[in-house]
Amino acid sequence: MANYFASNLKKIREQRGLSQNKLGTLAGVNQTTIARWENKEIAPSIDNVEDLANALNIPLPDLLGKDLRFDNATYMKPIVDDDNMVQIPVLGIIKAGIPIEAQQDILEYIEIPKTWLRGGKQFYGLKISGDSMFPKYQENDIVVFEDSRTYDPDLANNKDCAVMVNGDDATFKKVLLNDNGITLVPYNTGAYNIKMYTNEDIEKKPIRIIGIAREKRTRV
């Protein structure tokens, strides 16, 4: 927990524009303690983590998990359509090929069943560009992804996932997880290479699973 907690805490604190001293005041601890957590010198208690999550106004998994979701939380909020359906944003284009800079512009909204949100699950859509996932996925398909923070990351094994590489680049691949790291597999293996990353790569680049594909929608 400590490694992911430390990096997540620092990233979220800086995104919120908070100094260590200010966050410490909000969470009821001193600045030195915040600094030691971020430097991985000491580990927090679960009560400390809950206080920090409340101070930052984020869910607990955003501090503890290794897979942070897209940075702009407002993009993830569904719009209630009626009693049975909600609208979720299609955030932009994800490359089914080599990683490209992630885009988070809202292209449109699409409907999903309201029942999908049970248990606090969240979803977003991405438009596919490229042919590395052909023939299962076509150019311009819309893929609905379950937001990474609402599932156990181990459940992403052997699933088609949106993956962040180097912090800013997003790609769409089948994910294979093992004790040594992560492998990103295209369906179009005749044109694209399989990419393997060690646990050290995952930590340093970093590499983050940001969504598991739930449904494909092909436009005619």
Side-chain angles (χ1 to χ4, degrees):
M1 179 192 80
N3 286 344
Y4 299 129
F5 166 81
S7 58
N8 291 350
L9 175 62
K10 182 176 181 180
K11 181 175 182 179
I12 297 169
R13 176 180 62 77
E14 291 177 346
Q15 287 174 351
R16 296 290 193 274
L18 296 173
S19 65
Q20 292 177 339
N21 186 58
K22 178 63 175 177
L23 178 57
T25 300
L26 294 173
V29 296
N30 59 48
Q31 181 271 332
T32 301
T33 300
I34 298 290
R36 296 186 70 189
W37 284 337
E38 291 185 356
N39 291 331
K40 305 177 186 178
E41 295 176 9
I42 58 174
S45 69
I46 190 61
D47 289 338
N48 291 146
V49 178
E50 289 177 348
D51 289 341
L52 287 166
N54 289 333
L56 293 165
N57 194 28
I58 58 172
L60 204 61
D62 277 10
L63 278 174
L64 299 180
K66 67 179 179 180
D67 296 305
L68 284 175
R69 61 178 176 168
F70 283 101
D71 294 337
N72 194 335
T74 60
Y75 283 165
M76 314 309 285
K77 294 180 181 178
I79 298 174
V80 177
D81 195 359
D82 58 35
D83 290 339
N84 299 314
M85 306 294 290
V86 296
Q87 294 186 33
I88 61 168
V90 176
L91 299 182
I93 295 172
I94 189 167
K95 190 73 172 179
I98 60 173
I100 60 171
E101 186 176 353
Q103 300 183 40
Q104 294 185 38
D105 296 329
I106 296 179
L107 300 180
E108 60 181 294
Y109 284 85
I110 57 175
E111 289 187 333
I112 64 169
K114 194 173 183 180
T115 54
W116 287 13
L117 304 181
R118 289 173 180 168
K121 294 182 178 180
Q122 296 190 43
F123 296 86
Y124 59 88
L126 289 171
K127 187 176 182 180
I128 302 302
S129 173
D131 62 353
S132 76
M133 297 295 274
F134 180 85
K136 185 174 181 179
Y137 300 91
Q138 312 284 332
E139 180 89 13
N140 295 324
D141 280 352
I142 300 295
V143 179
V144 177
F145 291 90
E146 182 179 343
D147 181 4
S148 64
R149 70 187 189 119
T150 60
Y151 60 79
D152 180 345
D154 290 338
L155 297 180
N157 187 40
N158 209 33
K159 302 287 180 59
D160 302 335
C161 299
V163 182
M164 286 289 231
V165 180
N166 294 322
D168 295 316
D169 288 347
T171 191
F172 181 38
K173 295 290 185 292
K174 183 177 181 178
V175 165
L176 301 178
L177 301 173
N178 57 60
D179 292 339
N180 298 318
I182 185 172
T183 302
L184 305 184
V185 182
Y187 285 106
N188 188 0
T189 54
Y192 295 88
N193 295 326
I194 294 172
K195 299 288 187 180
M196 293 179 287
Y197 299 96
T198 65
N199 289 322
E200 184 178 5
D201 292 330
I202 293 172
E203 188 73 21
K204 288 186 175 181
K205 282 185 179 293
I207 296 170
R208 298 184 286 122
I209 298 169
I210 58 174
I212 292 179
R214 172 71 178 263
E215 183 179 86
K216 177 188 73 172
R217 299 188 182 184
T218 299
R219 299 279 174 82
V220 178

